Amino acid sequence: MKLEPLFVAKENKLYKIEDNSLVNIEELKRIELPWSKVELEEESYNEELLANLREELKSLENQNIFAILIPVVDKALETPEQFELFINACNHTARRVKDCVSVVGFELPQEITKQGFAEDSIFQNFVDVLSKKHAQYVYFSKQNNLPSELVQL
């Protein structure tokens, strides 16, 4: 089930597609997801936590409240293998909440964006993996000088 995008990023700002209105990102609920709690062991995920997340997001959906998912890097993220595990954990999370309209997108941790936004970057790999099945997501970052299709927090 692929959801149609409800939001779009333009010039580092978030807009509702329906009426092209600017969205106040301060009003979006921020949900932190520590990597160590999502991925208990390599490629072994906490399905109970993800089921609870889905319930919370469905509740927000019923209240017409939107959220940003914030993966928190709380274990080593330095090697290509660790980056792959992290991206896979985020992608698994996205799969578990794939039908939740309340999810605007993901906030990218600095570890993903600090190396830049080139085609062969970790950032681009993250977006490419998630976008295969979740093209509706918008990506947020606290970093300056973002590409225009990201939203600066």
Side-chain angles (χ1 to χ4, degrees):
M1 167 185 197
K2 288 190 177 185
L3 296 178
E4 292 297 318
L6 299 178
F7 300 92
V8 66
K10 293 187 279 187
E11 299 177 12
N12 303 123
K13 294 186 168 115
L14 184 67
Y15 295 87
K16 267 188 164 175
I17 291 175
E18 179 181 74
D19 60 6
N20 204 35
S21 61
L22 183 64
V23 175
N24 180 355
I25 58 175
E26 300 293 323
E27 294 176 2
L28 301 175
K29 181 168 177 71
R30 299 170 54 81
I31 301 174
E32 291 190 354
L33 298 166
W35 179 19
S36 64
K37 292 193 189 296
V38 171
E39 184 181 50
L40 302 173
E41 296 176 26
E42 279 191 21
E43 299 186 40
S44 175
Y45 304 108
N46 185 340
E47 297 301 341
E48 182 178 349
L49 177 133
L50 296 173
N52 290 337
L53 172 63
R54 185 181 177 285
E55 286 181 24
E56 179 181 0
L57 292 168
K58 282 299 193 180
S59 175
L60 293 176
E61 186 177 314
N62 291 334
Q63 300 170 62
N64 202 32
I65 296 172
F66 296 94
I68 301 171
L69 301 182
I70 306 167
V72 177
V73 177
D74 61 350
K75 52 187 180 177
L77 185 57
E78 298 160 355
T79 68
E81 294 78 17
Q82 290 167 335
F83 278 106
E84 183 178 351
L85 288 170
F86 178 77
I87 292 168
N88 288 344
C90 291
N91 192 44
H92 186 80
T93 299
R95 279 198 305 264
R96 291 296 173 251
V97 300
K98 68 181 176 191
D99 66 334
C100 296
V101 174
S102 59
V103 178
V104 176
F106 280 77
E107 179 179 320
L108 300 167
Q110 182 179 5
E111 292 85 351
I112 296 292
T113 60
K114 71 181 177 184
Q115 296 174 11
F117 304 98
E119 277 190 40
D120 62 344
S121 66
I122 295 165
F123 155 78
Q124 194 60 55
N125 187 26
F126 184 100
V127 171
D128 288 348
V129 168
L130 268 71
S131 293
K132 284 179 186 164
K133 299 248 176 155
H134 314 286
Q136 78 274 17
Y137 289 151
V138 174
Y139 298 94
F140 300 81
S141 177
K142 293 180 181 173
Q143 184 171 322
N144 292 325
N145 302 318
L146 296 175
S148 64
E149 66 274 6
L150 271 75
V151 177
Q152 186 169 0
L153 295 169

